[in-house]
Amino acid sequence: MVTVSVRDNNVDQALRVLKKKMQREGLFREMKMRRDFEKPCEKRKREKQENIRRSRKTARKKSEY
């Protein structure tokens, strides 16, 4: 559960903090995924691409050091 406290009636600051926390937890991505039905074959394809992207990113980070 994401909670944000509003200090000094500064709602804009609290909204920015809330959006940042939601982005970090991946809620925006999950809401986008659940908006439409995804076929099982499309889900497998997307997950495979995400795994490839993630592995390339880790390999790139390891090669930098």
Side-chain angles (χ1 to χ4, degrees):
M1 179 101 179
V2 179
T3 58
V4 176
S5 59
V6 179
R7 297 183 195 141
D8 302 328
N9 282 341
N10 196 350
V11 178
D12 294 328
Q13 177 74 22
L15 254 177
R16 271 187 256 132
V17 172
L18 176 67
K19 285 182 181 180
K20 193 176 287 188
K21 283 186 178 184
M22 289 176 70
Q23 183 72 32
R24 255 189 252 129
E25 291 189 14
L27 289 176
F28 289 122
R29 182 181 298 139
E30 187 175 341
M31 288 188 318
K32 185 179 178 183
M33 296 275 209
R34 291 179 185 233
R35 191 177 306 150
D36 298 320
F37 178 75
E38 186 176 25
K39 287 182 173 180
C41 63
E42 292 173 350
K43 183 178 179 182
R44 282 192 301 269
K45 183 178 178 182
R46 176 184 51 79
E47 288 176 348
K48 185 176 179 182
Q49 289 174 344
E50 287 175 357
N51 289 338
I52 291 170
R53 189 178 313 120
R54 194 178 306 114
S55 65
R56 284 181 182 164
K57 184 176 180 181
T58 56
R60 188 171 50 242
K61 284 190 175 188
K62 285 183 180 180
S63 67
E64 287 177 359
Y65 296 111

